Amino acid sequence: MRKEKFNRLFDFAKKSKIKAGEGREEGLYPFYTSSPVLSKRIDRWQIDEKALVFGTGGKPSIHFAEEKFSTSTDCIIAVKKGNENFNIKYVYYYLFGNIHILERGFKGAGLKHISKKYIKGIEIHLPDLQTQNKIVAVLDKASALLQKREQSLQLLDELLRAQFLEMFGDPVLNPKGWEKKPISTYCKIITGNTPPRSEKSNYDENYMEWIKTNNILEEAIYPSQAEEYLSELGSRKGRIVDKCSVLMACIAGSLSSIGRVALCNRVVAINQQINAIVAKRKYNPIFLYFLLKYSRKYIQSFASKGMKKIITKGELRKIEFIVPPGADQNAFSELFKKLGKLRGSIEEGRLEVEKLFNSLLQRAFNGQLNFDEDTALNTLLAAIDLEKEENDLRDISFVYLRRLLERLNEQAFEDMEQYQKAKHAALQLIKEGKVMQQYEGDKARIKLEMT
């Protein structure tokens, strides 16, 4: 295995002049920002070749781009040097799987940043090209499985949004003419705080979650697990909110972060950058969450115009929202609960695939590059769609065909679904002429062999 400095393998593209706020929900091309999640689009492109995209501010992020794309000003773009023979996506997975390498490069007071100089000096461990390609093939399959689960969750979210708009109309334009009232009319608003840090006894690892704005994620309904906890003493000085409160990010460095919401599914403490909105009457808490979620741009219009974007508690209290009849709100809430069961099942599957993907990353880059063949083959089998007559089996037929046939002949599979997918793959490979059936008279059975 050879080791190469990053700048030996890559050149850097010209820095973008497009601001992050110019990204939209729809557009012709992907638009990368410093966020670890690609959620923006734009109608103009800057780069038309495979590239690595690094977010420079906040926390480490890296993306692999292989179609026309653009980035915001807070990104660094690296493109492969023409005379170097390596798989660029291998380097992406290497850094993604060793994200601590990028974490070490974030320096500075306040909002930390990573520099191009630091990235240039990163040492990449490169096995031979065949091994690189093998690792990329398996990780691509696991990544594709993960993306399918995530797409299923997105489709459910889109269904909920469509149902909301059908029942209530656009909550800002209010085409159905619902009553509108300031949110403080029917809700209590609680602003979080930070118990004194000078008193270490206020903080404890096990007592009370202390939720911050980075726990309010666009792609998640509920707040993520807190990284920091308050002690029993600290919780008495903090601001505690109950289940069914809606948590809103009201202080942020950029306007795009203002108005993010999460539906609280447990008792937590919140910091001063969050306002909790607690329905007292007239609002179903689940309906309230989606009302605020789909009114985000409207909410952002009330933010301060300075460098630091803020919606104060006083300003939030004045914002008017629609108040449809309680029966309609409850009907939407019941629909959410029904779909929530399906969503929970899909999310559980997504977490399992995510564990598999992370396990493969660790196996690939912890010095054991020749990771277990069966683990890799299981990943490739999991991606097979039994409804399709033909699947993409190139990675199996090129690298893992021998092991697939051994396991079929031995019927060595973890469960019936895995066995059915293996048989499905074998039948396709027989049609393609890559596998043949041989009759073993002494054992009175059919054995599969490579042609």
Side-chain angles (χ1 to χ4, degrees):
M1 180 185 298
R2 64 188 174 114
K3 299 177 183 178
E4 297 284 1
K5 295 284 188 176
F6 191 88
N7 67 334
R8 174 76 172 78
L9 304 172
F10 291 89
D11 289 320
F12 292 96
K14 187 177 179 181
K15 188 176 176 66
S16 172
K17 294 182 180 179
I18 306 174
K19 295 180 179 179
E22 295 183 48
R24 298 290 180 264
E25 291 184 5
E26 297 180 356
L28 297 175
Y29 307 105
F31 180 61
Y32 297 95
T33 65
S34 61
S35 171
V37 178
L38 173 61
S39 60
K40 302 296 183 182
R41 309 282 296 184
I42 201 166
D43 286 334
R44 48 182 164 143
W45 60 271
Q46 297 169 302
I47 306 291
D48 185 17
E49 60 180 307
K50 291 180 180 179
L52 302 183
V53 180
F54 298 88
T56 60
K59 59 183 179 179
S61 68
I62 182 171
H63 299 275
F64 172 72
E66 53 185 339
E67 59 179 324
K68 292 177 179 177
F69 69 94
S70 290
T71 76
S72 65
T73 56
D74 46 0
C75 289
I76 292 172
I77 307 165
V79 295
K80 182 179 178 182
K81 286 187 175 179
N83 60 343
E84 289 297 324
N85 187 26
F86 68 94
N87 189 323
I88 184 174
K89 200 167 190 182
Y90 169 86
V91 178
Y92 160 73
Y93 281 130
Y94 179 83
L95 292 174
F96 185 82
N98 292 282
I99 200 71
H100 62 275
I101 294 174
L102 297 179
E103 285 176 346
R104 287 200 295 261
F106 277 75
K107 308 290 183 184
L111 186 66
K112 298 181 184 298
H113 288 81
I114 193 170
S115 68
K116 189 182 294 185
K117 181 180 178 181
Y118 178 85
I119 294 173
K120 284 182 178 181
I122 292 174
E123 197 171 65
I124 307 297
H125 294 213
L126 290 173
D128 61 83
L129 186 58
Q130 183 180 5
T131 302
Q132 292 179 43
N133 293 339
K134 178 181 175 181
I135 289 170
V136 168
V138 174
L139 292 177
D140 274 352
K141 291 295 185 185
S143 178
L145 282 174
L146 190 57
Q147 288 173 17
K148 284 182 181 179
R149 300 299 191 278
E150 290 171 346
Q151 286 167 2
S152 297
L153 292 173
Q154 289 171 5
L155 287 172
L156 279 179
D157 290 342
E158 290 170 11
L159 175 61
L160 269 174
R161 182 182 177 88
Q163 189 62 40
F164 183 96
L165 293 175
E166 182 179 332
M167 292 178 67
F168 307 107
D170 185 294
V172 179
L173 299 177
N174 192 20
K176 295 183 180 285
W178 304 115
E179 174 191 27
K180 292 187 78 171
K181 290 282 187 179
I183 196 168
S184 59
T185 306
Y186 302 121
C187 297
K188 180 182 179 181
I189 298 174
I190 302 169
T191 302
N193 71 342
T194 297
R197 288 227 177 245
S198 57
E199 301 172 23
K200 293 183 179 180
S201 57
N202 288 327
Y203 296 86
D204 182 89
E205 292 184 357
N206 300 310
Y207 189 75
M208 176 70 66
E209 281 186 84
W210 189 39
I211 298 295
K212 304 174 187 176
T213 53
N214 60 1
N215 298 116
I216 302 176
L217 308 174
E218 289 187 33
E219 65 274 16
I221 294 174
Y222 306 110
S224 63
Q225 193 75 23
E227 296 176 357
E228 196 170 5
Y229 282 64
L230 301 182
S231 65
E232 184 175 1
L233 176 64
S235 66
R236 291 200 291 268
K237 302 174 184 176
R239 302 286 164 76
I240 310 301
V241 296
D242 292 326
K243 290 195 299 184
C244 295
S245 304
V246 180
L247 309 184
M248 179 184 292
C250 289
I251 301 177
S254 66
L255 185 62
S256 61
S257 297
I258 290 288
R260 293 199 315 270
V261 288
L263 180 62
C264 208
N265 58 350
R266 55 198 187 272
V267 177
V268 298
I270 57 175
N271 80 350
Q272 67 274 10
Q273 294 181 313
I274 296 173
N275 277 315
I277 302 161
V278 185
K280 296 187 293 185
R281 56 193 178 98
K282 292 280 189 175
Y283 276 127
N284 178 297
I286 292 173
F287 169 82
L288 178 61
Y289 163 77
F290 285 99
L291 171 64
L292 297 175
K293 181 180 178 69
Y294 300 148
S295 303
R296 186 168 167 188
K297 289 187 177 178
Y298 171 60
I299 292 168
Q300 289 172 351
S301 69
F302 293 87
S304 63
K305 308 304 179 186
M307 290 289 289
K308 193 76 170 177
K309 305 302 179 185
I310 299 174
I311 294 182
T312 64
K313 179 178 178 179
E315 195 66 39
L316 180 58
R317 287 172 54 85
K318 299 175 188 175
I319 302 177
E320 294 189 347
F321 293 94
I322 61 171
V323 191
D328 292 343
Q329 295 185 38
N330 293 338
F332 178 79
S333 175
E334 288 304 309
L335 173 64
F336 166 77
K337 290 176 183 177
K338 289 178 182 178
L339 290 178
K341 293 179 181 178
L342 176 59
R343 197 180 200 282
S345 176
I346 295 172
E347 177 65 18
E348 186 176 333
R350 188 197 70 80
L351 289 173
E352 286 300 313
V353 175
E354 186 175 49
K355 288 178 183 176
L356 170 64
F357 180 64
N358 290 333
S359 173
L360 286 169
L361 278 173
Q362 291 175 12
R363 289 171 182 263
F365 303 120
N366 68 357
Q368 299 174 352
L369 292 173
N370 294 318
F371 49 84
D372 183 82
E373 271 194 343
D374 284 319
T375 300
L377 180 57
N378 289 346
T379 305
L380 299 177
L381 289 174
I384 290 175
D385 187 344
L386 292 172
E387 300 297 320
K388 290 183 179 179
E389 187 174 340
E390 293 188 356
N391 286 270
D392 182 358
L393 303 179
R394 286 174 295 179
D395 297 323
I396 289 179
S397 59
F398 290 162
V399 184
Y400 300 102
L401 181 54
R402 176 192 56 79
R403 184 57 185 148
L404 172 67
L405 299 184
E406 286 177 355
R407 290 176 62 179
L408 277 166
N409 290 328
E410 298 166 4
Q411 296 191 10
F413 294 94
E414 295 176 358
D415 53 49
M416 183 56 68
E417 181 182 6
Q418 193 179 78
Y419 176 56
Q420 293 296 339
K421 289 187 174 185
K423 283 203 310 181
H424 196 69
L427 288 172
Q428 180 180 326
L429 292 168
I430 290 171
K431 290 179 182 178
E432 294 175 359
K434 296 175 182 176
V435 172
M436 62 181 181
Q437 302 179 79
Q438 292 280 16
Y439 179 71
E440 291 185 315
D442 59 331
K443 296 183 179 179
R445 68 168 189 173
I446 299 293
K447 182 180 179 182
L448 298 175
E449 294 182 350
M450 291 188 287
T451 56

